[in-house]
Amino acid sequence: MGTEQILKEIREFPITTPAEIEEFRLSFLSKKGKVATLFAGMGKLPPEQRADFGKQANEVKQVAQQKFESARDAIEQGKSAFASVRDDISLQAPRQQLGSLHPLTQTLDEIKNVFFRLGFSIAFGPELEDDFHNFSALNFPPEHPARDMQDTFYVRKDDEDPRKDLLLRTHTSPVQIRKMLEQKPPVRSIMPGRVYRNEAVTAKSYFLFHQVEALYVDKNVTFAELKDTLIILAEMIFEKELKYRMRPSFFPFTEPSLEMDIWNPVKNQWLEILGAGMVHPNVLRSVNLDPEEYTGFALGMGIERIAKLRYEIGDIRTFYENDVRFLDQFV
Ligand code: PHE
C-alpha cells in the first residue's frame, strides 16, 4: 500500500468515541499497524529510492501520531474536539439560560400581594372600551379634554352620538364600572392592565403603559380607610420607612380626590405615585347604586412609574424593548 493511500485512510478515519481511538491506534500505530508495515517494506526497495520513501513514511507516521494525540487529549479534557459527540454520554449537557419575570410583572406581583392580604380579589376588563365605561359612567363631562382625539386613540368616532364611540381605554377605571354592574357590594377588587394614550414616545412617556386600580365599595367605607390603605401600600412596595404626603387633587370620578407623593432623598424631591379618592356619587348612580346607602374608595397607579422609582430606571422605553442586557438585571 502506498503512502498516499494510507494518508487518505488516516484522514478519513472517524474518531468520535474512545473505542474508535483504540481502533485507530491498532490500525495505524501498533507494531503490526499500517505505519510499521510501511517502514518494514522499505528494505525491499532499491537503495536509491529508500531516502525519499523514508521521508514520506515519516510524514505519514507524524500525521497519524498527531491525530491520535489530539483525539486523546480532547477526551482527557472532557471537551469534544470530535466531529460528533453523539455517542459520548459522559459529556455535560450545555447550560440553558433561564428567563425571569419582567420588572413590570414583578412590580405588579408585589402590588397584588399587598391587596390580596387586604382581602381584595382581581378583575379584568377589555382594552377596547366604549364611551360609557371609559368616560360617561365615570362622570367625565362631554367636553372633557381626555375625550379629544389628540389624547385618546379612537377606533370608532361618531360625531353625532358619542355613545357609539369605541376607543382604546385610557385608564383602568372603566373596569370599576364593569365590576359594579356585575357584582353587588361589597366589592373589593384590583384591576390591572394595559392602557393607551395618544402621546409622543419619549424617555418619560409612551403610547401604552400599565395601571392597576383598586376599588372598595360597601356600606360605610370611609376616607380614613382609604388613607390607611395607601400608607400600607406605599410602605410595602417601597420596603422602607417612607416620607409621604397626600395632596388634594381632581378626578371626575372621585370626590374628594388626592394624589400621593413619596420623598426621594437622593433627588431631593417629591415624586407622585398614585391618584385616589372617594367614589363620586354620580359614578355610584351610573351603576344603579344609591350613594346614600353605599360609599367607596378608588385608587389607581401607573406600574411603570412605580417600577421606575423602585429600580431607578430613567427611560420608560427600556421596558418594552426586551433587550436581554436590561432584563438580565431583574433576575
Ligand atoms: N384613573 C386615574 C388616572 O388614570 C387614576 C385614578 C384611579 C384616580 C382611581 C383616582 C381613582 O390617572
Side-chain angles (χ1 to χ4, degrees), residues 44 105 222 281:
K44 291 180 198 149
T105 308
T222 65

Side-chain angles (χ1 to χ4, degrees), residues 54-259:
K55 216 173 133 196
Q56 285 173 25
N58 262 323
E59 265 172 36
V60 173
K61 187 178 170 183
Q62 264 179 25
V63 172
Q65 197 79 37
Q66 263 171 23
K67 178 156 175 162
F68 172 76
E69 280 167 15
S70 64
R72 192 193 49 195
D73 289 353
I75 271 227
E76 273 169 9
Q77 287 168 25
K79 285 194 235 145
S80 175
F82 302 130
S84 154
V85 294
R86 197 161 26 107
D87 301 326
D88 188 351
I89 58 163
S90 69
L91 281 178
Q92 238 186 9
R95 277 174 69 105
Q96 292 283 339
Q97 206 190 349
L98 281 180
S100 59
L101 292 177
H102 193 280
L104 291 177
T105 308
Q106 291 186 30
T107 305
L108 175 60
D109 280 351
E110 293 216 16
I111 299 169
K112 279 187 197 165
N113 279 336
V114 177
F115 282 101
F116 289 165
R117 286 167 68 161
L118 296 174
F120 284 66
S121 61
I122 196 157
F124 299 99
E127 291 175 23
L128 181 63
E129 268 296 6
D130 51 26
D131 175 89
F132 174 76
H133 292 90
N134 197 81
F135 294 130
S136 296
L138 288 164
N139 197 38
F140 279 77
E143 297 307 319
H144 193 281
R147 288 186 131 127
D148 203 294
M149 302 264 276
Q150 299 280 314
D151 294 311
T152 298
F153 290 117
Y154 280 90
V155 173
R156 188 169 73 207
K157 181 97 174 118
D158 192 311
D159 289 335
E160 317 268 273
D161 188 355
R163 283 174 302 178
K164 293 187 184 147
D165 287 352
L166 283 180
L167 50 97
L168 296 178
R169 67 179 178 193
T170 59
H171 51 175
T172 42
S173 303
V175 194
Q176 291 186 28
I177 302 300
R178 292 183 177 274
K179 188 72 195 170
M180 287 187 284
L181 285 171
E182 161 196 307
Q183 180 188 320
K184 277 186 76 70
V187 168
R188 209 158 35 208
S189 291
I190 57 166
M191 303 129 192
R194 275 191 174 182
V195 304
Y196 300 83
R197 288 184 195 175
N198 193 358
E199 289 196 59
V201 172
T202 69
K204 287 191 169 164
S205 66
Y206 207 70
F207 51 84
L208 75 84
F209 58 100
H210 299 76
Q211 283 188 334
V212 55
E213 193 96 359
L215 174 70
Y216 178 26
V217 180
D218 201 355
K219 292 179 176 156
N220 305 316
V221 176
T222 65
F223 191 87
E225 285 168 288
L226 168 60
K227 204 175 154 189
D228 206 38
T229 306
L230 293 177
I231 296 166
I232 293 172
L233 174 69
E235 287 188 343
M236 284 179 72
I237 17 185
F238 292 98
E239 293 159 358
K240 55 189 168 221
E241 283 287 300
L242 265 191
K243 207 170 132 189
Y244 62 86
R245 72 178 184 192
M246 294 175 192
R247 281 179 288 110
S249 185
F250 176 82
F251 301 100
F253 36 92
T254 48
E255 179 59 34
S257 305
L258 67 90
E259 279 171 311

